[in-house]
Amino acid sequence: MASGSHSWHCCLLLAFFLVFSGADGLSTAYYATSCPSLQQVVRATVSSAIQAERRIGASLIRLFFHDCFVQACDASILLDDVPETGFVGEKTAGPNVNSVRGYEVIDRIKANVEDVCPGVVSCADIVALAARDSTALLGGPNWAVPLGRLDSTTASLAEANRDLPGPDSDLGTLIARFGAKGLSPRDMTALSGSHTVGFSQCTNFRAHIYNDTDIDPAFAALRRRTCPAAAGNGDSNLAPLDVQTQNAFDNAYYHNLLVRRGLLHSDQVLFNGGSQDALVQQYSSNPSLFAADFAKAMVKMGNLCGAGGEVRCDCRVVNDS
Ligand code: HEM
Ligand SMILES: *[C@@H]1O[C@H](CO)[C@@H](O)[C@H](O)[C@H]1NC(C)=O
């Protein structure tokens, strides 16, 4: 099988590259000589995935967030459970299960990268590049991604459940969760702007559209049509996070908040009389300010680095020791 031969080449070269991966700190030129075509290969693979299904771009942006918030940006989220050994990954954590998407696209990118540079590029760097490329291809900012992350040999279901914020979070909780990762309230508000693309399931916004008062009644009525009040009914029905321009990575998310059309409770708390109101107003009227801050915050989130590790051969499993 093709994946078998990828793993073989990958592992043959692994020892060689470990010698050169000792540098701490990331660099945009990290693979400049070891894998000069990396960025083209990732961009092309993400592009064809988005052409097949536009939502996958949003899913890949979110995958990066859910990777970085647990342990670090170390591809821990990609590890499959292994019942035989008792290894438990993060995929069944509450915020991830039946929700995080894009694992197959990461596999495809990894296979394409292995074809040109076997054993060189970490899965964690691929996730970071895929998030950047998705943002740019959906119409958002482009930026240079610092690279050189290593893939973890561990995952943490408990940390995924503890650290990832839920859609019912209030502003204080959001600020605290991001603060725990070294990200400022401003970073948090900018990063939340990625809810300009993608979808949420009814179960994640039901309470907001039925019980919250900080919501435009017409918008609540629209969303109630496909999200029944009773738990268990239509739980997985989808609605776009951005009611205005669901397909474009733009700043309409912030305009929605101004008119109380945030889909999640955790969206609307960024504009309901609290500390982020002024910034939401600025982002809604200044798209280039949002674009610049978003790119900066993605780089900052991406700098959350783990304690070392390996370049995985298969993004779903740790290498054989
Ligand atoms: C501020 C705290 C955040 C909360 C509470 C939150 C929560 C959520 C929830 C509940 C969903 C819908 C999931 C589902 O129904 O399956 C979602 C989707 C999404 N989130 Fe967040 N999120 C937050 C921050 C972020 C950040 C920082 C990013 C990336 C930088 C992000 C990117 C996305 C994207 C792109 C989607 C759509 C995914 C898709 O359509 O597959 N979110 N988020
Ligand atoms: C709304 O609040 C009431 C009273 O707390 C609760 O019984 C009900 O389940 C809530 N509905 C939703 C959809 O969250």
Side-chain angles (χ1 to χ4, degrees):
M1 229 179 94
S3 67
S5 90
H6 284 134
S7 299
W8 176 239
H9 290 295
C10 173
C11 293
L12 264 184
L13 292 170
L14 202 57
F16 174 79
F17 280 102
L18 279 178
V19 177
F20 293 90
S21 59
D24 47 63
L26 306 176
S27 156
T28 56
Y30 188 79
Y31 299 107
T33 53
S34 61
C35 194
S37 61
L38 170 63
Q39 310 247 351
Q40 289 158 255
V41 171
V42 177
R43 177 74 61 125
T45 313
V46 172
S47 178
S48 68
I50 287 176
Q51 263 159 43
E53 190 215 11
R54 198 159 174 91
R55 183 187 174 194
I56 204 68
S59 305
L60 290 168
I61 297 169
R62 184 171 186 234
L63 186 64
F64 179 56
F65 165 48
H66 283 218
D67 182 30
C68 291
F69 259 54
V70 182
Q71 299 192 152
C73 310
D74 59 0
S76 56
I77 193 173
L78 302 179
L79 293 171
D80 283 335
D81 291 355
V82 186
E84 299 78 41
T85 63
F87 179 86
V88 177
E90 296 160 13
K91 290 183 177 179
T92 58
N96 293 339
V97 69
N98 296 324
S99 181
V100 164
R101 310 168 74 245
Y103 301 120
E104 296 78 12
V105 180
I106 299 297
D107 290 341
R108 218 173 304 143
I109 300 170
K110 174 70 167 172
N112 291 343
V113 169
E114 289 298 304
D115 280 344
V116 290
C117 320
V120 174
V121 181
S122 68
C123 298
D125 281 340
I126 286 173
V127 170
L129 287 168
R132 187 276 314 269
D133 287 343
S134 294
T135 305
L137 288 163
L138 294 176
N142 200 8
W143 64 91
V145 181
L147 298 165
R149 298 169 188 80
L150 290 173
D151 300 326
S152 69
T153 54
T154 61
S156 179
L157 181 76
E159 202 179 318
N161 283 321
R162 190 192 65 203
D163 289 3
L164 286 164
D168 301 330
S169 303
D170 59 20
L171 182 59
T173 301
L174 295 179
I175 290 173
R177 295 286 174 104
F178 281 71
K181 306 296 175 186
L183 297 167
S184 68
R186 188 182 184 100
D187 295 327
M188 185 274 293
T189 295
L191 290 168
S192 295
S194 61
H195 289 178
T196 176
V197 290
F199 292 83
S200 174
Q201 303 175 62
C202 162
T203 186
N204 288 317
F205 60 84
R206 176 180 283 128
H208 181 54
I209 63 172
Y210 284 99
N211 273 354
D212 282 350
T213 51
D214 57 347
I215 185 167
D216 168 44
F219 176 65
L222 172 72
R223 287 296 164 247
R224 287 174 185 172
R225 282 204 254 151
T226 53
C227 182
N233 290 318
D235 283 4
S236 60
N237 291 357
L238 295 176
L241 285 158
D242 174 356
V243 64
Q244 252 187 290
T245 53
Q246 61 179 72
N247 281 322
F249 195 106
D250 57 18
N251 67 335
Y253 169 81
Y254 299 101
H255 183 257
N256 294 336
L257 298 184
L258 297 187
V259 295
R260 308 206 180 279
R261 293 178 168 202
L263 184 62
L264 307 179
H265 177 83
S266 58
D267 291 324
Q268 197 58 57
V269 297
L270 301 182
F271 187 84
N272 67 357
S275 64
Q276 300 305 292
D277 281 25
L279 186 58
V280 167
Q281 246 151 355
Q282 282 178 54
Y283 287 156
S284 77
S285 63
N286 190 342
S288 47
L289 177 68
F290 164 57
D293 279 7
F294 183 79
K296 237 185 287 176
M298 287 288 273
V299 169
K300 197 168 160 190
M301 182 166 74
N303 285 342
L304 292 165
C305 274
E310 59 187 18
V311 172
R312 256 178 239 151
C313 300
D314 174 340
C315 291
R316 291 172 182 266
V317 294
V318 300
N319 296 339
D320 299 332
S321 45

